[in-house]
Amino acid sequence: MVIVVAANDGPTQPPTTTTRILVTGASGELGGALARAYARPGAHLSLWGRDPERLAAIGATCLAAGAKVDTRSLDIADVPAALEAARAEDAAAPFDIALLVAGLGETRGAGDLVESAELVRRLGTVNFTAPAAIGAALTERMATRRRGALVFIGSAAAFHALPFAAAYSGTKAGLARFAQALRLSLRPHGVSVTLVSPGFIDPAELHQNGKARPLALQPDHVAARIVRAVERRQAHLILPWPFALLRLFDRLLPAPLRDRLLLSLTPPA
């Protein structure tokens, strides 16, 4: 952690402990909710996002809540630039918590027989390569300090072989396995790794208008659950809870029945 001592001419004041937090995808719904959840006096937030206007608005909200805020307009699809930024920021002021939120949820286009090669490449970069590489770079540094927490945002889709979303479910499954292996390798070094596997996340306005998807959660609720999971150093957070049952159901079904069920979920062409 960064210890900040305020200079003054009066009696000596106790040092203030500052928690340094990285949130990628902070201009998105969940990333913005996580930024707000951690925004308080004593927090120093580094907020990354692709949308400069939304990023500025989130940053202003966090400043008003008493946090110190830095923003960076960056697309993590540029993996070398993202790695350079992560290492430079951590060297300047070490991160205590890194929440790697950004991701793409695109699926096979209407009328397409399979997902395009370009879509597979793009999702592979944003959903797996970028967060895995950034996570590895940051936890290598955290491990030398013997403290820190890393959070990967996966998806409940990683539990199922979705025929219409092979790239999305596949990249999220890869991230889940990477998170599990990284967590085990870092356990002796005091660094925690939390994988979050949410179902649908819909903004508040959809819930208010009655247009939310089944079992969909609001971003602020998910963010609050993630904060608690990080505090507990929880290995895996699945939410809402019915998706944990669906994961078990998928594993227990005989393969022919599972294939038939998954094919039945494919949207009509």
Side-chain angles (χ1 to χ4, degrees), residues 40 133 252:
R40 60 179 69 95
L252 294 177

Side-chain angles (χ1 to χ4, degrees), residues 6-70:
N8 60 77
D9 297 326
T12 302
Q13 299 294 319
T16 300
T17 301
T18 299
T19 303
R20 182 88 160 97
I21 303 166
L22 169 66
V23 183
T24 70
S27 58
E29 292 288 346
L30 181 56
L34 281 165
R36 293 191 297 270
Y38 277 105
R40 60 179 69 95
H44 181 180
L45 306 179
S46 178
L47 307 180
W48 294 11
R50 290 186 298 169
D51 187 326
E53 291 185 4
R54 293 191 65 180
L55 193 61
I58 291 291
T61 299
C62 295
L63 279 172
K68 181 178 179 180
V69 178
D70 301 319

Side-chain angles (χ1 to χ4, degrees), residues 11 14 37 40 44 64 81 86 89 100 123 131 169 212 256 260:
R40 60 179 69 95
H44 181 180
E89 289 194 18
L100 306 183
L123 266 64
S169 59
R260 186 181 305 173

Side-chain angles (χ1 to χ4, degrees), residues 81-231:
L83 287 174
E84 181 180 0
R87 289 178 173 131
E89 289 194 18
D90 187 79
F95 290 117
D96 300 295
I97 304 171
L99 301 114
L100 306 183
V101 185
L104 294 175
E106 299 173 52
T107 60
R108 189 176 71 195
D112 291 342
L113 297 178
V114 297
E115 290 155 297
S116 70
E118 174 58 27
L119 176 63
V120 174
R121 184 202 62 78
R122 187 165 65 250
L123 266 64
T125 299
V126 176
N127 290 352
F128 177 76
T129 302
I134 296 169
L138 290 177
T139 53
E140 180 182 23
R141 302 177 67 89
M142 289 177 177
T144 64
R145 302 190 290 266
R146 302 196 67 81
R147 66 178 185 273
L150 180 72
V151 180
F152 289 113
I153 304 300
S155 171
F159 308 151
H160 313 289
L162 302 177
F164 56 92
Y168 180 69
S169 59
T171 53
K172 290 296 187 179
L175 185 66
R177 183 55 58 90
F178 179 82
Q180 180 185 29
L182 186 65
R183 175 180 60 82
L184 293 174
S185 70
L186 290 169
R187 180 185 289 174
H189 305 289
V191 180
S192 68
V193 177
T194 297
L195 171 67
V196 181
S197 298
F200 300 119
I201 301 175
D202 289 340
E205 54 266 26
L206 290 185
H207 289 262
Q208 293 165 358
N209 296 332
K211 297 180 179 179
R213 290 169 288 188
L215 300 177
L217 298 173
Q218 295 187 29
D220 287 340
H221 174 73
V222 176
R225 292 286 304 275
I226 292 172
V227 170
R228 291 197 295 272
V230 173
E231 291 172 349

